[in-house]
Amino acid sequence: GNSIGNFMFLKKEVCGRQTVFEVLLLVLGQTGFAEEIFNFGGSVVSYYQAGNLASGAGYNVDLEGELNFPFVSFYARTHGGKGTGSEGNLNTLADDNTDDFVRVLESYAKLNWKNLEIYAGRTEPPVFIDQSDFANDEKTQFVSKPFVNNPIADSEFRFAPLVGFKLTVEKFELAGVYQSEEFTDWNFAHPFSAFQVSYIGKRKTVRTYYWNSDTEEGNNWGIGVSGD
């Protein structure tokens, strides 16, 4: 009854003034599929921090959106904010604030095929390595950077173009990332790369990862272990 009624309503509108795009939106809305395709949200966070070297107030404004299709999705996040707080290089909330008040920090496409995810675009390495269920959201969890991620993986201005993947096999996940050194250009002359193997249990997750940062000053690498 309901489906037939919706279809008849749409048919009448098509004969009237509705465009093909409007009809598509109506169909998606009536079936509930639109809620699965379009996801939009935002947040506003203000803060004040006091420290031995510096003190100050600041705020962040983030707007993000995601389009989901059967085999591919698209994500973007726009950030605006001011202020560094106390010792800004240790403050995760202030990491994204620059002199450019508003900028698109993240924009990438994700291909989904069975238990494999492939990413291409601009985001940060902690999407793939050294995650934490308790400390990856600086807005609601830890603000101090040492309690969140490895500072090498979560350095400031690290939202550069990259390619990455996640492969899940039963309780194990293999992830990797290969990132440009430039914020806007796909320049891999001195890339950042990392690989991680995770064991995902019912109540705990254990990760071990290797990272390599190739810079003009030299090559640096390291091994990390984390769990929650």
Side-chain angles (χ1 to χ4, degrees), residues 24-45:
L24 177 60
L25 290 181
L26 284 171
V27 171
L28 295 176
Q30 293 292 332
T31 60
F33 191 53
E35 297 180 1
E36 299 178 5
I37 291 182
F38 304 105
N39 292 309
F40 297 97
S43 65
V44 178
V45 178

Side-chain angles (χ1 to χ4, degrees), residues 73-91:
S73 61
F74 302 91
Y75 173 83
R77 177 168 72 94
T78 300
H79 174 83
K82 288 289 185 179
T84 59
S86 171
E87 305 179 33
N89 62 331
L90 296 179
N91 177 353

Side-chain angles (χ1 to χ4, degrees), residues 37-65:
I37 291 182
F38 304 105
N39 292 309
F40 297 97
S43 65
V44 178
V45 178
S46 61
Y47 58 88
Y48 176 84
Q49 289 183 312
N52 295 329
L53 299 180
S55 300
Y59 64 91
N60 293 342
V61 180
D62 287 283
L63 296 175
E64 57 185 343

Side-chain angles (χ1 to χ4, degrees), residues 207-226:
R207 309 170 189 86
T208 179
Y209 59 90
Y210 164 84
W211 60 267
N212 186 295
S213 181
D214 184 7
T215 66
E216 293 182 356
E217 290 76 21
N219 187 277
N220 301 294
W221 63 274
I223 296 175
V225 177
S226 68

